[in-house]
Amino acid sequence: MKRVTTEASPRAGGFAARTPEKRVKCLVWDLDDTLWDGVVLEGDRPRPFPAAVETLHTLDRRGILHAVAGRGELARASGHLAEHGLEDLFCALEVGWGEKSASIRRIAAELNIGLDTIAFADNDPAERAEVAAVLPMVRCYPAERVGELPGLAEFRPELVTGESRRRRHRYLAERDRAAAERAFPGPPAEFLASLGLTMTVRAATEDDFARAHELTLRTHQLNTTGRTLDAGRLRALCASREHEVLVADVTDRFGAHGTVGLAVLRLAGQDVVLELLLTSCRVLNRGIGTVLLGHLVRDILARGRRPVALFVPTTANRIMLVTLRFAGFEPAGPEGALAFDPRRPPPPRPGHVRIVDGRNR
């Protein structure tokens, strides 16, 4: 395997000390002379480096995804991964002859994550330099150091939950969904209806606090206030007689999406105030945020109370203001508060999602 000199900065492939802007969500791997010692297309039958395999499994257990941006033929590369039992560890495979930066852009789009949460490992300094020049937000690392990556701060998530340990499986199921959607002969609405989506809304328990905290840390676009809530704060809210903390789990015919929604409600006189509503970006194209909001509004109206929502603008969450306004919320009272007029008809029930209210009342 070729070895190269380490550069001075991880932007170009080295390990200079620094504080990472964001934790890594996905490590993109070159294959030949990086994951294994040899070139598959030249007829080699290389075995993966033990240190690379250990890094794959360690990061996978932490909920960090893996993808491939390699040279060669996709069928040969994926076949060699499968031969060594590694294919299912990768959520996206980009193998061909184009620029690695273009492959990484496609991977970010497919996984719906920011380029600034991607890292890239490659044995070739020219490939790392190309990525660093075109995508300076992507952190690049030389192949001979992949065994050290789990020890770096950017590869150590603040939280590792059961949900995060299953993250790869969620993405692989989503890949199957995407393939089914591409093959579906009808319009998008009919495909959504064919998924058999079920959303279960239930009271949060101690077992949910780590995942709920993770959702507040990871969700920026689909968060009405931008607030983050740790386990202690969530525990206190659940114990409060004025508050209700709800989580939403979603499944479909391909499997479980997991816990993808969080809502914090507060009883204030004749109002029920939605202090926080968020849903994972992973279910954005399933309309789950709108479905959850509509369910909460219908429930509050059925209790004879007025739904009120707090909205705090951030640099990323304008879509949630649009969602609230389309749902019938209008500015009311204190700055940032929006209210739903109880005299209006409640939002219609969704046709593509079955809702199960799992609260014990």
Side-chain angles (χ1 to χ4, degrees), residues 100 107 128 134 145 155 160 276 282 313:
K100 295 287 183 76
I107 289 166
R128 297 196 303 274
V134 178
R145 309 298 292 273
F155 291 91
V160 177
L276 174 68
R282 159 168 110 235

Side-chain angles (χ1 to χ4, degrees), residues 107-167:
I107 289 166
E110 180 177 345
L111 301 182
N112 194 27
I113 59 176
L115 286 163
D116 58 351
T117 66
I118 287 181
F120 174 57
D122 197 304
N123 69 295
D124 189 337
E127 299 280 25
R128 297 196 303 274
E130 187 273 328
V131 170
V134 178
L135 302 174
M137 71 292 291
V138 172
R139 284 157 279 191
C140 300
Y141 302 92
E144 70 268 21
R145 309 298 292 273
V146 296
E148 302 174 32
L149 298 186
L152 300 182
E154 52 262 53
F155 291 91
R156 303 186 70 87
E158 293 182 37
L159 285 172
V160 177
T161 66
E163 188 82 16
S164 60
R165 283 188 288 270
R166 293 186 293 271
R167 182 166 293 125

Side-chain angles (χ1 to χ4, degrees), residues 214-229:
E214 182 185 40
L215 275 172
T216 68
L217 291 175
R218 294 174 63 91
T219 305
H220 305 290
Q221 287 181 297
L222 305 181
N223 184 326
T224 52
T225 65
R227 291 175 65 189
T228 60
L229 300 172

Side-chain angles (χ1 to χ4, degrees), residues 203-217:
T205 67
E206 186 77 26
D207 292 340
D208 296 306
F209 292 160
R211 170 57 178 164
H213 176 43
E214 182 185 40
L215 275 172
T216 68
L217 291 175

Side-chain angles (χ1 to χ4, degrees), residues 191-212:
F191 175 74
L192 274 180
S194 77
L195 286 174
L197 285 158
T198 297
M199 182 179 72
T200 301
V201 180
R202 56 184 177 82
T205 67
E206 186 77 26
D207 292 340
D208 296 306
F209 292 160
R211 170 57 178 164

Side-chain angles (χ1 to χ4, degrees), residues 7 23 25 81 112 128 155 176 179 301 327 357 361:
E7 293 91 350
R23 298 296 196 273
K25 293 182 180 179
L81 287 169
N112 194 27
R128 297 196 303 274
F155 291 91
D176 292 340
L301 292 173
D357 197 315
R361 293 181 172 177

Side-chain angles (χ1 to χ4, degrees), residues 163 166-174 256-258 282:
E163 188 82 16
R166 293 186 293 271
R167 182 166 293 125
R168 167 173 56 93
H169 302 284
R170 311 282 190 220
Y171 274 88
L172 291 175
E174 184 57 34
H257 290 269
R282 159 168 110 235

